[in-house]
Amino acid sequence: MTDVTLQNVRKEFDGVVAVKNIDLQIPDGAFVTVVGPSGCGKSTTLRLIAGLEQATDGTIQMGNQDVTGVEPKDRDVAMVFQNYALYPHMTARRNITFGMKSAGDFSDEEIDRQVEEATAVLDIDDLLDRKPGELSGGERQRVALGRALVRDPEVFLMDEPLSNLDAKLRIKMRAELAKLHSEFGTTTIYVTHDQTEALTLGDRVVVMNDGRIQQVDSPQRLYDYPETRFVAEFIGDPAMNMLSVDISRDGTEYEAVGPTFRIPLPEGDGLETAAGAKALLGVRPESLSVADSADRSSFAAEVTVTEPLGDSLLLECRTGDQEFKLHAEPRTAVEPGDRVALTVETERLHLFDPQTGEAIYHAAAAESSERSGVPAG
Amino acid sequence: MLGSLLTALTAAVERSQAAGRTTSERIRRFETEQLTLHVLAATVVFLIVLPVLIAALVSTKRAGIVTSIGDLVPGGHALSNYRRALIGLEFWRFMLNSFVMSVAVVVGKLIVSLLAALVIVYYRFPYKNAVFLFILFTLLLPVPVRFVPLYRLTTELGMGNTFFAITVPYLASATTVFILRQHFLSIPASLVETAKVDGVGPLRFLWSVLVPMSRAVLVGVSVIMFVYTWNQYLWPLVIINAENLQVAQVGLNLLRGQASTGEVAWSMVMTGSILTLLPPLALLMLFRRQLLETFTIQQK
């Protein structure tokens, strides 16, 4: 186990910048997930840590060692790939032991013991004599995990390891990965495009976009206190609604004013500077609800689409020229075309700068923001 | 919805009736087509095989002079002809030389090409594509084109009239490098990356991963290379003087020279020809599946 630190790391491919000067600190024994849309640089970041790509600029440290130019084999990392990367002509056992035997760091007894241990944990001990072609997707990924486990590396690197599995198996393997981590406690860096995976697995989630780190935080804080509009819209499904508003001030009272609504904003940091300017009001779909009767803070909207999800009813609505989604109570009697009155849970509102996308205000007072991914200074 | 479907169906039926095609008629048409195709294919195959067939027939006769169709009846001298060619005239020695030369060239080519393809696919170095293009460029300079300089080089090295002279010039093969490169590129990059992270060295990766994963391609390429080398005539004729080092294709000519009466002993020549055909034929039959696989990979 070891910690991993990236300082000002930059990667260019033929003039295209894939990773733009990122700083990231991964504590010893943490399970860190890196999430973002495709092309955001998350896989490149992982490959930089693995040593499969060399950084154009910046340094990568593991423990107290600078590993920036070090060969992958000398970094003591193990990597699990999306397509399992099993050698098709070797049995599962040979696949697991091939790397160990090549590295020559292990005695035969050690190898046998490690294989026995790892395969028992992964429940693949009876599959060892089969070739990858005779295994299902889930079994193959277990073998690939076994191969990583037996090497007992300092850091596990996982590049979308569950993406090729079907939905049910993915959820099952997700739970097993979490269990494995709590059992072995090895520092794990896990890249995924799936926010559910990122939130459920990571102690810490790194959100990346366009080669930059947008935010590093615990899953719940990422959801509750997004630092940028990108994070707000990327985390959560359906995405946070963004309504363009003007911030008006009346004494100590603030309001977000849209063409068809006025929503009071609880007092909080950032409101004073935002007053009198345009902003984007971020409202999660579950913070909106259909009101029984109209009152001061409610506003009217037209339902355009209804999607019954079973445990809730997803409504797509329009007010003025702005569209948004909300979770209504299941079995609410509304049809597309109906006009409904909506109320807002004002403690869960966010304001973002329309130009920069930076968060300027969260209605719920945040405990001191812990951007622990970025080293102090 | 249903209405439009019905209209479409009726239209289709009317169309097919207008064309006068009932089911039985269509079957008959299909059968005629098939028959024509088969006859055509059989004719073409017959034309291609005909010279070999005649050679085989002649090799069973005493003199082997064919002047009329009637001369193409199988003769009764097959056994004695083949025994005389192989043992009496020592044609086995030429065959053995050809075999050793071909095997050596195939093995050497595979080693050189595997290493070249490994470097071209898995290593990063400046002007990599230019290097590969240069290798492809050598396709424009096959051995016959290089005869004169190659001859000088070989003799000046003192290697004329040796086994070295008929093997080494054939070892570099752009075709094999190209085929292997294409195959390696079809192997997922994550396999080599896993190997890198696990500390598997390049030669071990080549031997334990790439070679087993390329078995069919290697066999296919080897068969092609074997047949190519086996059929070499001009270069061995030029560079080899010693009769005991000569290869089968040139040896055929020596069989003709054995005619004591001044006439060409055609039956002997044909016997030799059939004998030289056998090893490539056996290989092609044995490994036809891998050969086909090699070429389907090329089409991808």
Side-chain angles (χ1 to χ4, degrees):
Chain A
M1 287 193 287
T2 189
D3 57 314
V4 180
T5 311
L6 277 68
Q7 264 180 321
N8 204 24
V9 170
R10 179 181 181 83
K11 178 64 185 173
E12 287 179 27
F13 294 103
D14 301 323
V16 180
V17 187
V19 174
K20 297 175 180 164
N21 303 67
I22 60 169
D23 292 305
L24 180 64
Q25 179 153 27
I26 293 155
D28 191 357
F31 197 126
V32 171
T33 53
V34 184
V35 65
S38 46
C40 72
K42 55 188 191 296
S43 280
T44 308
T45 307
L46 193 76
R47 294 167 61 81
L48 284 165
I49 298 171
L52 292 171
E53 305 287 350
Q54 294 301 330
T56 314
D57 227 338
T59 58
I60 300 171
Q61 280 197 317
M62 286 187 186
N64 295 323
Q65 231 188 334
D66 185 347
V67 295
T68 312
V70 174
E71 286 287 310
K73 66 182 167 67
D74 300 322
R75 297 192 180 196
D76 201 5
V77 297
M79 192 150 168
V80 180
F81 292 86
Q82 179 178 351
N83 63 2
Y84 325 126
L86 296 175
Y87 305 115
H89 59 288
M90 297 182 187
T91 60
R93 178 190 298 278
R94 182 111 202 281
N95 261 294
I96 292 173
T97 57
F98 182 64
M100 287 176 98
K101 287 194 169 152
S102 301
D105 303 338
F106 302 90
S107 68
D108 283 359
E109 299 84 63
E110 241 178 317
I111 291 176
D112 285 343
R113 194 169 41 77
Q114 298 267 58
V115 169
E116 204 174 301
E117 240 177 70
T119 53
V121 171
L122 291 164
D123 201 16
I124 48 170
D125 20 11
D126 47 345
L127 306 175
L128 288 178
D129 296 321
R130 295 201 206 161
K131 290 188 177 171
E134 302 157 342
L135 299 173
S136 69
E139 288 166 342
R140 279 184 223 177
Q141 196 52 289
R142 275 166 212 261
V143 173
L145 279 171
R147 172 168 65 184
L149 274 181
V150 290
R151 293 197 37 233
D152 190 19
E154 296 283 350
V155 182
F156 276 131
L157 304 173
M158 306 200 181
D159 193 357
E160 312 231 9
L162 306 185
S163 297
N164 279 11
L165 304 180
D166 62 59
K168 240 187 184 151
L169 200 54
R170 206 176 316 161
I171 293 170
K172 187 163 171 253
M173 287 295 286
R174 203 165 73 196
E176 287 190 25
L177 278 177
K179 211 176 86 194
L180 276 180
H181 180 252
S182 64
E183 214 163 300
F184 289 83
T186 310
T187 314
T188 305
I189 306 170
Y190 184 107
V191 163
T192 176
H193 66 274
D194 179 347
Q195 50 153 316
T196 318
E197 256 171 49
L199 296 181
T200 51
L201 279 172
D203 320 326
R204 233 156 244 298
V205 182
V206 179
V207 184
M208 282 187 77
N209 185 37
D210 194 22
R212 284 180 217 282
I213 291 181
Q214 299 282 321
Q215 190 170 351
V216 183
D217 240 322
S218 66
Q220 193 61 53
R221 286 188 53 86
L222 213 54
Y223 189 83
D224 291 342
Y225 304 103
E227 282 171 13
T228 64
R229 179 183 175 182
F230 176 81
V231 176
E233 289 184 307
F234 190 77
I235 302 293
D237 182 31
M240 187 186 280
N241 299 301
M242 291 290 164
L243 305 169
S244 45
V245 294
D246 293 296
I247 308 301
S248 80
R249 176 181 184 171
D250 181 11
T252 55
E253 310 258 300
Y254 293 89
E255 275 184 327
V257 182
T260 57
F261 55 84
R262 299 177 80 88
I263 297 170
L265 298 169
E267 208 173 322
D269 291 343
L271 275 183
E272 229 173 288
T273 42
K278 286 199 173 301
L280 286 169
L281 177 70
V283 193
R284 293 238 177 247
E286 66 269 24
S287 305
L288 285 162
S289 49
V290 179
D292 302 329
S293 57
D295 64 11
R296 194 181 81 88
S297 68
S298 73
F299 63 97
E302 185 195 340
V303 177
T304 52
V305 180
T306 59
E307 293 178 26
L309 299 176
D311 58 344
S312 71
L313 178 68
L314 185 67
L315 300 180
E316 275 182 43
C317 298
R318 187 190 304 136
T319 177
D321 57 354
Q322 311 208 53
E323 294 193 345
F324 56 91
K325 293 182 178 184
L326 70 108
H327 282 297
E329 289 292 314
R331 295 171 283 274
T332 309
V334 285
E335 296 282 328
D338 286 357
R339 284 188 74 78
V340 288
L342 300 175
T343 54
V344 185
E345 192 188 345
T346 50
E347 301 79 57
R348 290 273 160 221
L349 295 176
H350 312 268
L351 289 177
F352 299 93
D353 187 311
Q355 263 85 46
T356 63
E358 300 266 329
I360 39 186
Y361 159 84
H362 301 293
E367 312 92 68
S368 66
S369 180
E370 39 154 351
R371 279 201 63 170
S372 46
V374 182
Chain B
M1 175 76 181
L2 201 66
S4 63
L5 195 73
L6 266 176
T7 334
L9 263 176
T10 340
V13 169
E14 276 167 9
R15 254 201 316 276
S16 70
Q17 279 170 348
R21 272 202 229 156
T22 61
T23 316
S24 65
E25 235 172 285
R26 226 175 296 152
I27 291 175
R28 216 172 307 139
R29 253 179 85 108
F30 178 74
E31 280 175 347
T32 332
E33 257 172 42
Q34 288 294 305
L35 195 68
T36 324
L37 263 176
H38 276 85
V39 169
L40 212 72
T43 317
V44 171
V45 169
F46 178 73
L47 283 176
I48 293 172
V49 170
L50 190 62
V52 183
L53 214 61
I54 292 176
L57 286 173
V58 172
S59 75
T60 63
K61 299 178 87 75
R62 214 166 101 84
I65 309 292
V66 178
T67 49
S68 68
I69 300 278
D71 289 338
L72 285 177
V73 192
H77 295 272
L79 209 62
S80 61
N81 277 354
Y82 282 92
R83 184 179 297 149
R84 188 169 133 73
L86 270 177
I87 299 161
L89 300 176
E90 296 201 327
F91 196 66
W92 65 268
R93 191 188 294 281
F94 302 129
M95 301 257 305
L96 183 69
N97 286 341
S98 273
F99 186 78
V100 173
M101 170 195 177
S102 304
V103 170
V105 168
V106 167
V107 171
K109 259 185 184 176
L110 284 184
I111 293 172
V112 171
S113 310
L114 271 170
L115 290 173
L118 176 80
V119 169
I120 283 172
V121 175
Y122 294 109
Y123 282 73
R124 285 180 227 178
F125 56 91
Y127 306 112
K128 187 160 110 165
N129 286 336
V131 170
F132 179 60
L133 273 180
F134 186 77
I135 292 177
L136 283 187
F137 176 72
T138 62
L139 281 175
L140 298 176
L141 298 169
V143 170
V145 178
R146 287 179 275 146
F147 253 34
V148 177
L150 200 57
Y151 184 85
R152 277 199 61 175
L153 186 70
T154 319
T155 45
E156 273 169 27
L157 283 172
M159 297 294 179
N161 205 20
T162 62
F163 186 66
F164 172 92
I166 50 169
T167 49
V168 174
Y170 290 106
L171 290 190
S173 162
T175 319
T176 316
V177 174
F178 178 74
I179 291 175
L180 287 178
R181 172 186 179 264
Q182 297 311 98
H183 179 66
F184 287 178
L185 286 177
S186 74
I187 293 175
S190 55
L191 285 189
V192 71
E193 287 173 348
T194 301
K196 272 190 203 164
V197 171
D198 286 352
V200 178
L203 286 180
R204 189 171 154 81
F205 182 71
L206 176 70
W207 185 247
S208 300
V209 178
L210 287 181
V211 169
M213 284 186 73
S214 317
R215 205 177 292 153
V217 175
L218 290 175
V219 170
V221 166
S222 300
V223 171
I224 299 167
M225 293 306 160
F226 185 93
V227 175
Y228 169 81
T229 318
W230 181 270
N231 287 338
Q232 288 306 306
Y233 169 74
L234 208 50
W235 178 246
L237 177 71
V238 170
I239 202 74
I240 299 290
N241 299 321
E243 205 170 286
N244 64 345
L245 272 178
Q246 202 46 277
V247 298
Q249 305 294 345
V250 184
L252 280 180
N253 202 31
L254 300 173
L255 282 184
R256 191 191 63 160
Q258 296 295 331
S260 48
T261 55
E263 273 186 353
V264 176
W266 284 115
S267 61
M268 268 305 108
V269 175
M270 293 307 160
T271 306
S273 302
I274 294 295
L275 281 171
T276 44
L277 266 184
L278 292 180
L281 186 68
L283 282 181
L284 289 176
M285 280 165 62
L286 214 59
F287 297 114
R288 63 187 183 285
R289 200 176 53 82
Q290 284 90 338
L291 257 176
L292 288 175
E293 248 174 77
T294 309
F295 287 108
T296 29
I297 281 164
Q298 292 313 296
Q299 281 171 0
K300 262 188 231 162

